[in-house]
Amino acid sequence: MRIGIFFGGSSREREVSFAGGRTVFDNLNKGLFEAVPIFVDSHGRFILLDWQYLYKGTIRDFYPPIDAAKWKGKASSFQVYVESLGEASEETHQALAAKVGKPIEAQHFKKYFDFAFLALHGQQGEDGSLQGLLEWYGIPYSGSGIFPSAVGINKIVQSDILRAAGFARPRQVILSQEMWQKSNKEALLESLSNKLGLPLVIKSPNQGSSIGVSILRQKDSKTFEKLGNKSFFIQEISATEWLSYSASQKQEWLVRFTDIREGLGFPVEVENTETDAQFTIYHPEELLELFDRYFKPHSPALLLKAQSTESSILIESYLEGKEFSCIVIRDESGKAFALPPTEIIKYNELFDYRSKYLPGTSRKITPIDIGIHALQQIREDCVRLFEVIRGNVYARIDGFITHNGKVFLNDPNTTSGMMPSSFFFHQAAEIGLDASSFLSYIILTSLKERIESGKNQAFTRSLLSKLDQNMTALKLQAAKKIDVAVIMGGFSSERHISMESGRNIYEKLASSAKYRPIPVFLTGDEQQHELYLLPIHFMLKDNADDIREKIYHTLRNSQKPDNEALLIKIREDARNITEKYTTDGITQPTPISYQGLAELVEVVFIALHGRPGEDGAIQQELEKVKLPYNGSGVASSQTTINKFITNELLATHGIQVAAHRLIKKNEWQQDENALLDQIEQDFKYPLIGKPSDDGCSSAVKKIKNRGALRAFMRMMFRPSLQFLAEESHILDLKAQEEFPQKDFFLIEELIEKKEAMYFLEITGGLLTHYVDGEIQYEIFEPSETLALGEVLSLEEKFLAGEGQNITPARYAAEPELNGLVSRKVKEELAKVAKILHIEGYARIDAFVRVSRQKEIEVIIIEVNSLPGMTPATCIFHQCALNGYKPYHFIDSILNFAQEKFKKYQNIS
């Protein structure tokens, strides 16, 4: 069956939708479905997207194409959406679309797909309008129909329906934009705090992903005005503020402003607060020029208003209690059925975009940690609300349960987020469904729902009948698959990202007709590795620490808590779903040895980062039991794990690396001040401090002075895991930031542009093949990485919709010089791989400087022998340019691993 996956769209959630569409594309069962990517641009045009663009980091990485997003004929320093092109003609838009795919019209949908899977969020995707369009043209689609979608998009309408149906609601006030702009903010805040109390929750009624939501805790009219404006997508900027910024701060302000999740985005209406003169700005460069031209010391402030503003905002009383989210589905008989609800524990005040989608930044506990009766009450209330809004197929319902057990429901989402870490997959795993199985279930159930609607029944019935037959046939073939252990987790500071990589590998293999992946969790320490076979619902726990705690609790407690008993009942009630969509799997975590693993599987995919995994330790164990594995061998891994040793080795072979020095704990203990003096003799500030054997941007800091260097040393060499308060403040460490304890770390010079004409940071992936028995290196076109802050952050590396990774890298404006630099960079990366005896695949980070005399410097920073494999990592952008979808890339890695094993077995 051809599945048209709709993603993108015009809403502020378009990046979540883009990442969710990619998840669906990757995880549809390849034996049942052909995935057809339908990108919806922000003007509502439909584009049959060339699949390679799915693996870009953000929509702005490919649409509009970079050559179309220039400003006054030159490359812009800002990434923009297609709206920033201004009032372009229809012919121009059609030409832009043709560069990334094929523009298609709704009346021709049936030529390209049989069924529409909707991964769109917000207006024009989740509001019933697209559902109506599909019904008009007779295309069955996933999820809810027109009515529940229209209800689910608007928080004000939802509130009225919930109250009318007898659900508990917080006290609330609705403020129109006209009322807000005319009001005295101090008097309004006084009135609201008297009526609703403090804190106040301020919401944009038509947004999801916590966009436009703030909490006001203090009676401060200035903060109140700022947060209210944020929910309306209005912002005021004064001459004093703008003139106080440096050039780099202006750039950072505009980058944040351009981000449609937190900033206003473009186009933006600009209004002089004194004259009321208004005009429209489409591009951040245009706004930058305007501000620099307009603002003088006594200029009046400018009011900025997004074109996609809110007409009203919702202000509610604050609820104290536990926050939860619950997926409600319809079972095989059509009965509404609540999956185990998830408790959300926030490290920040709000469960914001970062907390929702980046592993390790919040905790999702399934089921919510309350008594069995309260848990049942939540499920029953969610089912009742699902029926009240006439939900179809599935919905995600959010809410709070107060300390006295009162349940407040809000925001029934008829299209849930489809990111790998989303509640949608998290809760389905609790009844034994992996991502591929759950998507199959949603498609089949949606076909049944569309038949019930009475429209185009013959076509939809034929699709349903064929799908049923194919599912039965596919289940009979499951025994022929290759068993692969996917090892994830670990005990390094990179363990949470390792889980995200491992889950992604598991999901790609699970949707294939060739492999049967088995998730294996590794914990323990360097002296003793502990391995556990994982059930699906353990694998999708929020982060590595939660999984470890859950394993220990399960294995050490024979008496099951009440919540566990309820989970068993929920799984039993869902048996009519799971028996159809899954094969028998692991239901409890089971300890296993490396030898036991060798008896269970044919090959291993190590999805670990840092130690162990990239240090050769696991590789040694797997070689003892004669199991093939991905990536480089023992000796190469032992070298590349240590950045200092890697730098030293590369330098002896003539490869350019940053000036560096290893700082050891015993030196520091002998005389801290003497060590600081020595470093300052060898290096100038600013310099870079980083762990020598950790990655994922853990504890990488730009150090600007002696005080910061002292704080960095003391944090790295601290006596216990607990952070040092004063040093944490000096280093500006965030809550839950990973900062490991080490006995040594690395100091490096800060690589700067100097007199270069072009200067950029790149990261390049590679894949190895055997050709006539010899290793050949396939070097991908590297990505250009643009850091918003002083160093590339964890979010920019791994969180979908974050960061700016431009693939291929833009080395130079002149095409001939750009090609010359590209060839030189790839030659250097190949040399590095050969020197280090890289096998399988790897990622190499570097800086590139191009002088005015066209001299090219490639300065190697880091080599990752088991690079991150999260869905958003740029190695997938790069391999896509060489024709590899993620599954085919992973398949190539596993094929090489098995070939290498056979070769070495024959030699021995």
Side-chain angles (χ1 to χ4, degrees), residues 341-563:
T342 299
E343 178 182 358
I344 303 153
I345 297 179
K346 306 174 288 261
Y347 297 139
N348 298 320
E349 186 171 50
L350 272 175
F351 188 51
D352 59 10
Y353 180 89
R354 181 178 186 271
S355 303
K356 282 184 175 180
Y357 303 118
L358 184 67
T361 52
S362 66
R363 292 186 70 198
K364 301 184 185 86
I365 298 175
T366 309
I368 183 170
D369 187 17
I370 51 176
I372 190 168
H373 298 296
L375 187 59
Q376 274 292 68
Q377 185 63 55
I378 289 172
R379 294 183 68 232
E380 289 169 9
D381 284 0
C382 288
V383 165
R384 186 163 77 87
L385 178 54
F386 186 75
E387 298 288 17
V388 164
I389 66 167
R390 300 179 188 177
N392 309 131
V393 187
Y394 76 94
R396 195 193 81 231
I397 297 171
D398 302 332
F400 287 85
I401 182 164
T402 63
H403 300 308
N404 62 4
K406 193 171 186 179
V407 177
F408 289 81
L409 300 183
N410 60 63
D411 204 13
N413 292 268
T414 53
T415 301
S416 177
M418 299 281 171
M419 301 268 276
S421 59
S422 70
F423 300 109
F424 184 76
F425 297 119
H426 193 85
Q427 294 178 20
E430 290 293 336
I431 61 170
L433 295 178
D434 62 24
S436 182
S437 301
F438 195 39
L439 292 173
S440 297
Y441 169 78
I442 293 298
I443 292 169
L444 190 140
T445 310
S446 297
L447 288 170
K448 290 182 177 179
E449 287 283 358
R450 302 291 86 86
I451 290 169
E452 290 295 318
S453 72
K455 296 173 185 174
N456 205 15
Q457 285 190 344
F459 174 67
T460 309
R461 284 186 189 282
S462 70
L463 290 177
L464 181 62
S465 175
K466 288 176 185 175
L467 180 56
D468 264 330
Q469 292 170 19
N470 290 340
M471 286 179 66
T472 302
L474 204 63
K475 206 161 186 177
L476 296 174
Q477 298 169 16
K480 300 175 184 177
K481 293 184 176 184
I482 297 170
D483 290 316
V484 184
V486 182
I487 302 181
M488 58 193 85
F491 39 78
S492 77
S493 60
E494 303 173 67
R495 62 196 180 280
H496 303 310
I497 296 298
S498 166
M499 281 307 306
E500 194 77 354
S501 288
R503 286 189 284 244
N504 188 42
I505 298 297
Y506 172 90
E507 288 162 0
K508 301 298 181 287
L509 297 176
S511 65
S512 78
K514 181 177 179 180
Y515 297 104
R516 177 172 36 233
I518 297 170
V520 178
F521 182 75
L522 185 144
T523 187
D525 54 36
E526 291 188 15
Q527 284 69 48
Q528 182 64 49
H529 296 171
E530 299 175 21
L531 299 174
Y532 299 92
L533 301 178
L534 278 187
I536 297 298
H537 62 286
F538 275 61
M539 183 184 74
L540 289 191
K541 293 294 178 193
D542 199 50
N543 59 55
D545 295 345
D546 282 353
I547 294 169
R548 185 188 64 244
E549 289 171 21
K550 180 74 173 173
I551 289 170
Y552 288 168
H553 178 80
T554 301
L555 295 178
R556 293 170 185 174
N557 291 277
S558 56
Q559 187 173 355
K560 301 293 182 189
D562 288 346
N563 281 358

Side-chain angles (χ1 to χ4, degrees), residues 260-296:
I260 55 176
R261 293 161 301 174
E262 288 297 323
L264 271 61
F266 291 89
V268 62
E269 305 293 340
V270 181
E271 179 181 318
N272 184 310
T273 55
E274 286 189 359
T275 66
D276 292 337
Q278 289 186 350
F279 41 94
T280 303
I281 299 290
Y282 290 94
H283 199 287
E285 300 275 12
E286 187 182 4
L287 191 61
L288 177 62
E289 289 181 4
L290 169 69
F291 284 175
D292 283 341
R293 184 176 68 249
Y294 171 83
F295 280 125
K296 304 293 185 289

Side-chain angles (χ1 to χ4, degrees), residues 171-241:
R171 299 184 306 280
Q172 69 175 41
V173 170
I174 299 166
L175 289 176
S176 70
Q177 189 173 140
E178 182 182 8
M179 186 189 307
W180 172 258
Q181 289 178 329
K182 289 180 178 177
S183 67
N184 176 293
K185 300 303 182 289
E186 194 168 340
L188 179 59
L189 176 57
E190 184 67 29
S191 170
L192 288 168
S193 57
N194 288 336
K195 184 174 183 178
L196 305 178
L198 287 173
L200 295 174
V201 182
I202 306 170
K203 295 181 177 180
S204 301
N206 293 295
Q207 306 296 328
S209 293
S210 300
I211 294 170
V213 179
S214 303
I215 297 173
L216 179 72
R217 293 193 172 275
Q218 305 295 329
K219 198 182 286 187
D220 179 340
S221 60
K222 293 288 186 188
T223 304
F224 174 57
E225 183 171 14
K226 182 180 178 182
L227 298 183
N229 280 342
K230 177 183 174 184
S231 291
F232 276 117
F233 301 102
I234 296 172
Q235 189 170 340
E236 186 174 282
I237 182 164
S238 67
T240 304
E241 180 184 357

Side-chain angles (χ1 to χ4, degrees), residues 584-757:
D584 291 337
I586 304 159
T587 58
Q588 290 295 317
T590 307
I592 192 168
S593 64
Y594 284 107
Q595 182 59 51
L597 213 54
E599 294 165 8
L600 185 67
V601 302
E602 297 167 62
V603 63
V604 170
F605 197 105
I606 308 169
L608 297 162
H609 308 308
R611 295 181 186 271
E614 288 189 86
D615 62 353
I618 287 177
Q619 290 84 346
Q620 281 183 319
E621 298 297 331
L622 294 173
E623 287 182 9
K624 287 177 189 175
V625 298
K626 295 183 168 49
L627 260 179
Y629 57 83
N630 59 307
S632 294
V634 175
S636 177
S637 300
Q638 288 172 339
T639 299
T640 55
I641 188 65
N642 191 308
K643 297 179 181 69
F644 175 75
I645 293 173
T646 300
N647 282 348
E648 293 287 288
L649 178 60
L650 292 177
T652 62
H653 284 80
I655 302 294
Q656 194 169 352
V657 298
H660 55 276
R661 173 174 175 165
L662 197 66
I663 309 300
K664 298 178 181 178
K665 187 175 182 178
N666 59 1
E667 294 179 279
W668 171 76
Q669 288 171 329
Q670 288 169 13
D671 192 331
E672 181 183 72
N673 286 322
L675 180 57
L676 288 166
D677 290 340
Q678 289 173 18
I679 294 170
E680 288 174 340
Q681 286 175 14
D682 297 335
F683 296 87
K684 66 175 185 177
Y685 295 112
L687 51 81
I688 296 293
K690 62 169 95 169
S692 184
D693 58 351
D694 263 326
C696 293
S697 297
S698 298
V700 179
K701 295 292 176 185
K702 184 178 179 180
I703 298 172
K704 300 176 183 177
N705 52 53
R706 189 180 183 102
L709 180 55
R710 188 192 305 274
F712 190 89
M713 285 181 171
R714 290 180 178 180
M715 272 296 293
M716 196 63 74
F717 299 143
R718 67 192 186 276
S720 67
L721 278 173
Q722 186 175 352
F723 278 16
L724 306 175
E726 183 180 350
E727 285 74 11
S728 298
H729 176 72
I730 292 170
L731 296 172
D732 193 27
L733 300 184
K734 301 185 185 81
Q736 305 302 315
E737 185 170 342
E738 292 287 348
F739 203 106
Q741 290 172 282
K742 296 288 180 181
D743 291 328
F744 54 87
F745 69 89
L746 199 62
I747 289 291
E748 287 183 345
E749 67 169 318
L750 177 68
I751 306 298
E752 296 178 294
K753 184 176 182 180
K754 296 184 178 178
E755 301 302 317
M757 181 169 53

Side-chain angles (χ1 to χ4, degrees), residues 837-887:
H837 302 293
I838 294 293
E839 295 173 306
Y841 65 119
R843 194 191 80 227
I844 303 172
D845 300 338
F847 284 95
V848 178
R849 275 197 295 243
V850 183
S851 73
R852 297 188 183 280
Q853 293 74 37
K854 300 184 180 179
E855 294 173 349
I856 302 163
E857 292 181 279
V858 182
I859 306 156
I860 303 299
I861 298 300
E862 185 176 342
V863 179
N864 294 272
S865 62
L866 292 175
M869 298 286 269
T870 68
T873 191
C874 60
I875 200 166
F876 289 131
H877 317 170
Q878 296 168 20
C879 71
L881 292 181
N882 283 29
Y884 299 97
K885 293 178 182 175
Y887 165 72

